[in-house]
């Protein structure tokens, strides 16, 4: 991966890691589905009126809008509203790495390197340590919703990789627009119009700041850059970067929300980072000794005698 793209990937990791704390704060002001609908509304408007139509087939825009905007974030917001803390949510959601690689193998026919598979296995071991350490503090059903959200994210990654949008910012704006109506309807049906109206009437600077961060930073910047990276590299190369998100998420939750990080979690973090390193570092073939040098020789042809 190019150094500039590596820095972009790390910037997305930081934005998405802090994102979980922002979601937790925002859920104190809004019902979960309505909060998600507002997030995508402000990500789409007013940008949708200036950027023009997406340069990919509509089926890809609708597919990502439903898989990412409606399913993934709808499930994640509901799970966090039902007791999954920000740090734990940032971790469990990274099950999307496994789903993304599996979908890339089965649908896109990509072949992950053995080192990538080994790195993902090591990182998943770190994830399991944290789940065992903190998972009992959250309802099992809510944790299952986060895992299901990870599967939906994997579907979205695969569709984006297949679509290869040329302008990822424009693509993400239209994806956000697709998600608004289904999320609003689901909110009206399950949360009720009164709860939505009350949330709008009682909005304060904290709620406005949470919406602004989710719409501009986490959605437009984060997924715009993520889509660009998926277009440039294999999904099995890009997806493991998200394994760093729970590290940032747990650190942000500890600093900003007082969520403690124990010894077992620290060990798990080392496993996650080590697994991440295995997935992105390519060892040069020139460094490995070869049995014998390969030389190129010009074949000697028999000379014809001329008389």
């Amino acid at each position: 991966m190019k150094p500039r793209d590596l820095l972009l990937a790390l910037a997305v990791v930081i934005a998405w890691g802090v994102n979980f704390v922002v979601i937790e704060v925002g859920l104190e002001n809004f019902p979960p589905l309505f909060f998600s609908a507002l997030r995508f509304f402000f990500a789409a408007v007013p940008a949708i009126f200036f950027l023009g139509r997406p340069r990919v087939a509509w089926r890809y825009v609708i597919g990502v809008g439903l898989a990412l905007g409606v399913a993934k974030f709808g499930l994640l917001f509901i799970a966090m509203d039902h007791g999954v803390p920000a740090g734990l949510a940032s971790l469990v959601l990274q099950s999307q790495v496994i789903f993304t690689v599996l979908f890339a193998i089965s649908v896109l026919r990509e072949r992950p390197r053995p080192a990538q598979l080994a790195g993902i296995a090591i990182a998943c071991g770190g994830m399991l340590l944290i789940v065992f350490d903190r998972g009992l503090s959250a309802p099992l059903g809510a944790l299952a919703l986060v895992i299901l959200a990870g599967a939906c994210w994997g579907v979205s990654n695969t569709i984006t990789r297949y679509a290869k949008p040329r302008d990822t910012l424009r693509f993400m704006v239209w994806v956000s627009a697709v998600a608004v109506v289904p999320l609003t309807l689901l909110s009206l049906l399950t949360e009720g119009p009164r709860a939505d109206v009350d949330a709008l009437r009682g909005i304060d600077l904290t709620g406005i700041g949470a919406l602004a961060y989710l719409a501009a930073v986490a959605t437009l910047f984060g997924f715009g850059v993520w889509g660009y990276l998926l277009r440039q590299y294999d999904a099995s190369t890009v997806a493991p970067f998200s394994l760093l998100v729970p590290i940032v998420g747990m650190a942000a939750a500890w600093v900003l929300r007082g969520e403690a990080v124990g010894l077992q979690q620290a060990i798990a973090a080392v496993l996650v980072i080590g697994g991440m390193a295995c997935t992105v570092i390519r060892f040069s073939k020139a460094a490995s000794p070869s049995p014998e040098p390969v030389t190129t020789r010009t074949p000697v042809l028999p000379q014809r005698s001329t008389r």
Side-chain angles (χ1 to χ4, degrees):
M1 183 173 285
K2 297 178 181 178
R4 181 181 70 90
D5 293 340
L6 178 62
L7 291 176
L8 285 174
L10 293 176
V12 173
V13 165
I14 295 172
W16 282 349
V18 176
N19 172 62
F20 290 89
V21 173
V22 177
I23 292 173
E24 197 170 59
V25 172
L27 287 172
E28 298 174 356
N29 297 269
F30 303 98
L33 291 176
F34 186 57
F35 185 29
S36 188
L38 288 175
R39 171 229 187 109
F40 287 112
F41 175 81
F42 288 109
V45 178
I48 196 173
F49 300 112
F50 298 99
L51 295 180
R53 298 176 60 182
R55 297 176 181 176
V56 298
W58 283 107
R59 62 180 180 273
Y60 299 134
V61 178
I62 295 173
V64 175
L66 295 177
L68 180 71
V70 179
K72 180 222 171 177
F73 280 104
L75 292 170
L76 175 64
F77 280 34
I78 291 173
M80 293 183 67
D81 189 57
H82 282 75
V84 179
L88 183 60
S90 68
L91 167 75
V92 178
L93 187 63
Q94 303 320 312
S95 58
Q96 65 91 12
V97 174
I98 300 172
F99 292 112
T100 299
V101 174
L102 291 177
F103 294 151
I105 293 172
S106 60
V107 178
L108 303 180
R109 305 301 181 187
E110 293 181 4
R111 289 188 176 183
R113 302 190 309 274
Q116 288 179 312
L117 295 177
I120 289 174
I122 294 171
C124 286
M127 291 172 60
L128 287 175
L129 280 180
I130 300 181
V131 169
F132 290 148
D133 185 40
R134 302 182 62 189
L136 295 179
S137 64
L140 184 60
L143 283 175
L145 290 181
V146 180
I147 295 175
L148 186 56
C152 295
W153 193 359
V155 172
S156 170
N157 285 338
T158 305
I159 298 174
T160 303
R161 171 68 178 166
Y162 192 82
K164 295 183 178 180
R166 295 181 180 179
D167 188 337
T168 51
L169 176 61
R170 181 181 303 184
F171 178 71
M172 196 59 216
V173 166
W174 279 96
V175 164
S176 300
V178 168
V180 173
V181 174
L183 284 169
T184 302
L185 292 176
L186 288 172
S187 176
L188 292 174
L189 290 173
T190 61
E191 297 165 347
R194 175 171 294 182
D196 295 347
V197 172
D198 289 344
L200 289 176
R201 288 177 176 174
I203 193 171
D204 55 14
L205 290 178
T206 301
I208 294 174
L211 281 173
Y213 184 93
L214 294 182
V217 180
T219 304
L220 295 181
F221 170 77
F223 283 99
V225 172
W226 191 255
Y228 160 79
L229 293 173
L230 284 172
R231 182 164 54 90
Q232 298 296 319
Y233 304 96
D234 290 344
S236 53
T237 298
V238 177
F241 272 97
S242 63
L243 288 171
L244 289 176
V245 172
I247 307 301
V248 178
M250 287 187 295
W254 173 57
V255 173
L256 302 174
R257 305 289 286 181
E259 293 184 23
V261 178
L263 177 61
Q264 184 170 333
Q265 294 157 340
I267 296 173
V270 171
L271 289 176
V272 171
I273 295 175
M276 178 67 201
C278 292
T279 62
V280 297
I281 296 177
R282 291 177 180 266
F283 296 96
S284 174
K285 292 183 179 180
S288 59
S290 56
E292 57 183 6
V294 179
T295 59
T296 303
R297 297 180 180 178
T298 303
V300 179
L301 300 177
Q303 297 181 352
R304 295 168 53 186
S305 60
T306 57
R307 294 181 180 176

